[in-house]
Amino acid sequence: MATDIATRSGDWERFDRRKKLLRYFGLLGTLIVTLASWQALGVRYTYLETAPEMTFNLFQRMYPPDTAYAPEIVAPMIATVNIAVVGTMVAILMAIPVAYLGARNTTPNRYTYSLGKFLIVASRSVHVIIWALIFVILFGTGTLAGILSVAFRSIGFLAKLLSEEIEEIDETALEAIQATGAGRLETMMYGVVPQVKPAFIGISVYRWDINVREATIIGFVGAGGIGMELQTRINFFDWNGVLTILIAILLVVMFSELFSAYVRKKVR
Amino acid sequence: MSATSDDRYAEYDGQWKRPTVFRSHTVKYAVYAVVLLFVAWNVWAVRLPLDRIVQGFGSAGVLVGNMFPPDFGVSIVVRTTEFGVPVPVGTNVSDGAVRLWDGMVETIAMSIVATVVGVIISIPIAVMAAENLVPKPVYIIGRTIVSVSRALHELVVGIIVVVGFGFGALAGVVALVWATPGFLAKLIAEDLEDIDPAQIDAIRSTGASPLQVMLFGVAPQVMPRLIGLTIYRWDINVRAATILGVVGAGGIGNVLVRSFDRYDYQYSLAIILAIIAVVLVGEAVSAIARRRVQ
Amino acid sequence: MLSVENLEKTYSSGDEALKGVSMEVSGNEVVAIIGPSGAGKSTFIRCINQLTEPTSGSIELDGVDLTGLSDGELRDQRRNMGMIFQEYGLVERLSVMENVLAGRLGYLSAWNAFRRDFPEEDVRHARATLDRVGLGGHDDNRADELSGGQRQRVGIARAVVQRPKILLVDEPTSSLDPETSRAVMQLLTEIAADEDIPVLINIHEVELALEYADRVVGLADGRLVFEGSPSDLDENARDTIYRATAESSSDPDGDAEGSNGTDPRMITESR
């Protein structure tokens, strides 16, 4: 009995020591990797010394925001929202069939399932800016390229979450509707739609909210929206105008976030 | 049977309307109408030019054709021996390959530095944004920092820093650090609001200072999650770092934009594939590391 | 009248769930099918309205053979059979009324179904039926707000508004507590009498079968091994039903029997 206790407490101590050692090595490793990364960036230290002063200077040059300029950014700001809405809509239309293929219980066969999963990964792993670079080449600068890049970026996100929702469908309820003699359309309307609809609305609004934010940056590569205007102002060193745009972006993005959160809380 | 059964149920109301989550059916249709009109207005406002869509997708084939095969700038040097048999004797690494490699190294370095700095900055902000730990005015400041950090995309911050200060990779790091509290401080703050107050009271009752309460009462409760989220944030930072170069803020994105400007599409595709590979590897590493931690 | 002749079902996995079962159900009798897990009870019930397609044999409802029908004909015939499920089979996010009215979908055009435009007499019947199963006033509740027993009552109401020629009931009580189980069984027998239709119940609890059924049928290992009144079910008969599977070395369809509809095989077999 006594030996039993002795070995047990010894084990416990050893385990704890190993854990501690692991933790220190983890910390040390992180430190080394971080320092090596810092070295790799080759930052000149003079930059760091002057940074606080420069930051202060920049803010000084930005303040106050240029209110006279404000009316001019209404149009590109609206275009930004337009891009997010239409882009999300196009994405939804394309994500529905992809989700159908990518859900284990609806996909026709193994190959269509792989195809669905591939489309989801492909869409998700290419950043909206890269999509924008490509679509600006194909469609020229402007809103159209923006809409398509937002749409192509969103398909994977929407289809992934939607297919997970489809996989969650309660099949018994579907069978029960079938068993009443309902047709295929009616089974869809009463069995599938009510089960998927709340998640569908929530996911779509959520993605729209994300897309408003993404639509503010695709203008940097010429794909429309407020980003193009912002870049112009920055290149002209019109810092007061820049601050005006930043405030506008802040307001629109925060509003869309609140709206999206409200809808998602309501829909269930 | 039907005639008699109908008589049996005559006392029941034959009118039925589907219940609605809205206040009334009028409100429901009004909301539908508003949503529909809003979407229709958006579609109208952008006035999608059909001919350009058709034309654009028509030329997609040409672009894809120009992109293939991807050119990584690495070729195998082959020498034909005296017997006429080609033998690989080494590799020829072009400038493009070197730029691709350097860009990737810079991207990953940016993501790591930014994660470490971002997390260190996020921790106090998280405490400030936790309603149960700080006084109301501090809480409001904390939440505001989180909201502003979320609302301004790291690329917006990146472009301003690049033009305002002009420091390449460091601008990218600043942009990523900027975006970190919007994610990390927000989630940690939510965790802090859920912590067990009994444990804090226990530490406090021993006469511990506020800092000691934080270290021994609060920190242990959120530590595992903080580590998990840090790894997750690193994964997000890798993704973001790949495109920050588009506005000149360092990393592979710079190389990508230049290749597009030079119509060097084969090289562009190589870069895009490399980015996807790095992003997917980062995602996998992050997923495995998070599972290990939890 | 339902008459089943030599029904066989072999799943694509090779499991023989039914090895030739014949029986008749008519009038307004309550027939309980009992048997151990894996005996083929659920498969039998599901084969009748072709949620599971039988391999061979014939099923006739009032003289119409239900096997080998076209999709349209099968839908028409399914309207005549009310089915009640173990896990209720309700669409949780729809209201109670919509779940009940879903029983009339076979008679409605898709457009009217979409607009929730049901004939007044259907609505009256639905309200009356909800009243009858003790859920009057719950019309606009969402199904996921109800308790298990209440959900099963909605499931029963949905089957009743079909004005079926027979009720098929698959393990109605296995998700319920004993008291609620008895209330549900009581309700089913009352409905059989009121609507003057036969009720075929597949049930795990032998005691409930003895108490509420007019006739008991014992299935074991995919075969019908007992048929008689509850009083005939003596120790001997029980032994035959429950020992048959214990002795057979291989469990023919262990999974298929636990049928709550999530069995992948069930889904692929259903039409």
Side-chain angles (χ1 to χ4, degrees), chain C residues 72-203:
Chain C
E73 290 167 332
L74 176 61
R75 282 202 291 273
D76 284 351
Q77 286 307 312
R78 276 180 175 165
R79 302 189 303 198
N80 297 327
M81 296 175 277
M83 176 111 173
I84 292 156
F85 292 80
Q86 175 184 353
E87 307 280 348
Y88 326 128
L90 302 186
V91 183
E92 308 250 308
R93 285 198 178 101
L94 288 183
S95 67
V96 166
M97 195 63 175
E98 282 169 292
N99 269 296
V100 174
L101 284 172
R104 299 303 294 174
L105 283 178
Y107 296 92
L108 219 59
S109 73
W111 173 239
N112 283 342
F114 172 71
R115 295 194 303 144
R116 307 293 197 263
D117 187 7
F118 289 87
E120 282 190 25
E121 58 177 282
D122 285 357
V123 176
R124 281 203 188 95
H125 189 194
R127 284 193 202 284
T129 310
L130 275 175
D131 227 8
R132 149 101 150 284
V133 300
L135 285 174
H138 284 282
D139 312 11
D140 286 350
N141 281 94
R142 247 166 64 153
D144 55 10
E145 296 167 359
L146 303 181
S147 70
Q150 286 175 320
R151 287 183 204 202
Q152 192 55 288
R153 286 161 189 276
V154 175
I156 292 170
R158 173 175 61 198
V160 169
V161 298
Q162 283 181 247
R163 298 186 201 281
K165 294 175 178 168
I166 185 170
L167 280 187
L168 306 171
V169 192
D170 189 12
E171 299 278 3
T173 59
S174 55
S175 309
L176 304 175
D177 63 75
E179 199 184 333
T180 319
S181 296
R182 296 172 66 86
V184 163
M185 290 301 288
Q186 179 66 38
L187 183 62
L188 286 171
T189 56
E190 285 170 17
I191 282 168
D194 290 359
E195 303 286 320
D196 196 28
I197 51 174
V199 177
L200 188 58
I201 307 177
N202 139 23
I203 190 159

Side-chain angles (χ1 to χ4, degrees), chain B residues 52-203:
Chain B
R52 252 170 79 191
I53 296 178
V54 173
Q55 199 190 340
F57 278 113
S59 52
V62 179
L63 180 65
V64 170
N66 287 340
M67 284 180 148
F68 271 98
D71 175 17
F72 287 91
V74 178
S75 53
I76 295 165
V77 180
V78 178
R79 192 197 296 142
T80 311
T81 61
E82 50 198 295
F83 305 108
V85 183
V87 175
V89 290
T91 51
N92 190 1
V93 180
S94 70
D95 283 357
V98 173
R99 267 179 288 139
L100 176 60
W101 176 257
D102 288 350
M104 266 317 173
V105 169
E106 191 173 53
T107 299
I108 293 166
M110 277 161 63
S111 71
I112 292 171
V113 173
T115 305
V116 173
V117 179
V119 170
I120 292 170
I121 289 177
S122 293
I123 290 170
I125 298 175
V127 175
M128 286 167 73
E131 212 170 358
N132 55 337
L133 296 178
V134 292
K136 192 86 185 174
V138 178
Y139 168 71
I140 290 170
I141 296 171
R143 291 300 302 190
T144 309
I145 296 175
V146 167
S147 294
V148 173
S149 159
R150 278 171 68 79
L152 292 186
H153 199 283
E154 59 261 15
L155 224 56
V156 172
V157 178
I159 196 172
I160 290 174
V161 176
V162 165
V163 179
F165 306 156
F167 33 58
L170 191 58
V173 173
V174 171
L176 293 177
V177 169
W178 168 281
T180 305
F183 168 84
L184 204 79
K186 178 171 185 275
L187 295 177
I188 293 294
E190 281 164 11
D191 265 29
L192 288 172
E193 284 168 357
D194 288 341
I195 57 172
D196 178 11
Q199 289 189 38
I200 299 177
D201 287 344
I203 304 283

Side-chain angles (χ1 to χ4, degrees), chain A residues 2-78:
Chain A
T3 50
D4 190 30
I5 290 168
T7 50
R8 260 198 214 163
S9 66
D11 269 354
W12 185 79
E13 208 174 27
R14 204 177 309 146
F15 179 68
D16 193 44
R17 202 177 293 159
R18 213 184 68 186
K19 216 170 148 186
K20 261 187 188 161
L21 219 65
L22 218 82
R23 199 176 283 175
Y24 285 130
F25 271 119
L27 214 63
L28 197 70
T30 312
L31 207 70
I32 290 170
V33 169
T34 310
L35 288 176
S37 300
W38 177 253
Q39 213 61 45
L41 291 182
V43 177
R44 272 181 250 147
Y45 287 92
T46 43
Y47 273 143
L48 282 183
E49 282 167 26
T50 52
E53 196 188 327
M54 285 169 85
T55 315
F56 183 69
N57 272 344
L58 189 64
F59 277 121
Q60 237 176 3
R61 272 177 284 166
M62 279 185 171
Y63 191 83
D66 185 351
T67 43
Y69 169 59
E72 276 179 57
I73 59 169
V74 172
M77 217 55 230
I78 288 178

